[in-house]
Amino acid sequence: MNNMIFFMDLDGTLLNDEKEISWGNQTAVDQALEEGHKMVIATGRSLSSALIQARRLGLTKDGCYVIAFNGGEIYDPFRNRSLYRRTIPRELVTQVFEDAHRRKIQIQTFADTEVLTEEDRPELHDYVMRTLQSFRIVPSVASVMEKDPCKILAIEEVRRDVIVQFRADLLEKYDGVLDCYFSNDSYLEIVPAGVTKGNAVRWMCDFLKIPIENSVAAGDAPNDIDMLEAAYVGAAMKNAYSGVKEHGDYVTKSDNNHDGVAEIINRFVLKRT
């Protein structure tokens, strides 16, 4: 039997609305690993947050991988080593932060183990609670970072028009340098140009010498679209955001609260239905 590689988003996909994994999803993931298939977490979260979840889910065994920062870093948790990393120069981080501050948008970036930001706002506390991260508020993030970061995150929970315009302005100002896309209605992911989950899918298949025809991906949000299109089978969740399902080859009958990922694994990885 040919080994498959399965790329799975976390929030709204593998995890339910309480940020937990169901028994059905966990069982399907474990069975796929036992049969020799590769399991890859593919998330917009930071690497430190993704690894916390990977450990909780038992996804640090041989054959498990983590795509973090929307493809900005690819990590092998079994061997504890980074396989791929793309970053944003610190001078650009400063400029993006200044642009966000002028519009009163929450803006933050990521060190190895913590969120870095320059303002103490409710959106920050909500974010770190959801992603199980620590944070540090500093006068200037660029001055305290030991290395260039993989991602900047802008958060605006009320003024949707403001963050949509912010995205448009960033894409125009940093054309060919930065890419921006939403992971939900409030979170704008800002990454180096060319960094996407889809490109990470292609890189992983090439790195592991797995034919793209053996790849399956599952997601629910706009930042998953490129991944759904890159994998041979792109499975959109029943609970996917508007406009995402059209990019999938398959739409689950069950949502993220009712074993939707198990449905995908059983059908396309284990091929039991």
Side-chain angles (χ1 to χ4, degrees):
M1 181 180 66
N2 291 331
N3 286 344
M4 304 290 291
I5 184 166
F6 181 49
F7 300 88
M8 46 194 167
D9 174 52
L10 284 176
D11 302 295
T13 302
L14 181 62
L15 303 179
N16 61 24
D17 291 347
E18 284 70 50
K19 307 299 181 185
E20 298 172 347
I21 189 171
S22 67
W23 180 87
N25 281 353
Q26 185 72 69
T27 300
V29 167
D30 291 344
Q31 288 174 344
L33 277 172
E34 288 172 9
E35 293 194 11
H37 304 294
K38 309 296 185 187
M39 296 283 106
V40 185
I41 289 173
T43 180
R45 292 194 192 197
S46 70
L47 180 61
S48 60
S49 176
L51 286 175
I52 290 171
Q53 286 291 356
R55 295 183 190 105
R56 287 184 168 188
L57 302 172
L59 291 174
T60 57
K61 305 169 186 174
D62 194 13
C64 296
Y65 299 89
V66 172
I67 295 169
F69 300 117
N70 285 302
E73 186 159 14
I74 301 174
Y75 195 83
D76 180 344
F78 181 70
R79 294 168 182 83
N80 292 313
R81 65 187 180 107
S82 182
L83 304 174
Y84 173 94
R85 195 169 191 267
R86 287 274 312 280
T87 58
I88 302 171
R90 270 166 278 191
E91 58 268 24
L92 281 187
V93 174
T94 297
Q95 294 173 31
V96 173
F97 266 64
E98 290 173 350
D99 288 343
H101 290 326
R102 282 193 290 269
R103 302 169 197 240
K104 303 189 186 307
I105 293 172
Q106 166 65 19
I107 192 81
Q108 58 198 45
T109 191
F110 302 86
D112 283 344
T113 60
E114 61 187 352
V115 176
L116 293 175
T117 189
E118 297 171 356
E119 294 182 343
D120 189 355
R121 293 176 48 152
E123 297 95 328
L124 167 67
H125 294 273
D126 182 54
Y127 177 82
V128 296
M129 180 183 68
R130 291 181 182 183
T131 58
L132 308 175
Q133 292 181 272
S134 60
F135 67 91
R136 184 156 47 116
I137 300 168
V138 297
S140 167
V141 295
S143 66
V144 301
M145 286 188 294
E146 296 181 359
K147 57 186 178 183
D148 294 344
C150 292
K151 187 183 85 166
I152 303 168
L153 179 66
I155 305 176
E156 174 52 62
E157 297 178 341
V158 178
R159 302 171 301 156
R160 174 72 176 173
D161 58 326
V162 172
I163 200 165
V164 167
Q165 185 60 51
F166 183 49
R167 175 182 184 271
D169 292 345
L170 288 177
L171 289 173
E172 180 180 359
K173 184 175 181 179
Y174 302 106
D175 181 37
V177 179
L178 297 177
D179 277 342
C180 313
Y181 35 79
F182 287 99
S183 54
N184 62 35
D185 289 338
S186 304
Y187 291 1
L188 180 64
E189 313 279 342
I190 304 165
V191 295
V195 166
T196 67
K197 291 185 182 182
N199 283 337
V201 165
R202 287 181 278 267
W203 190 93
M204 283 292 302
C205 286
D206 183 65
F207 176 77
L208 295 172
K209 295 179 171 53
I210 296 174
I212 197 74
E213 291 80 10
N214 289 7
S215 64
V216 181
D220 72 303
N223 66 320
D224 295 320
I225 289 174
D226 193 67
M227 176 173 72
L228 298 180
E229 294 180 338
Y232 189 71
V233 175
M237 300 298 293
K238 178 181 180 181
N239 53 282
Y241 285 83
S242 175
V244 174
K245 294 177 184 177
E246 291 83 346
H247 297 272
D249 305 294
Y250 177 80
V251 178
T252 62
K253 297 176 177 62
S254 301
D255 63 17
N256 66 307
N257 292 314
H258 299 89
D259 300 337
V261 162
E263 178 185 331
I264 299 165
I265 292 175
N266 286 324
R267 184 181 182 98
F268 297 107
V269 179
L270 300 174
K271 299 182 179 177
R272 293 179 178 170
T273 57

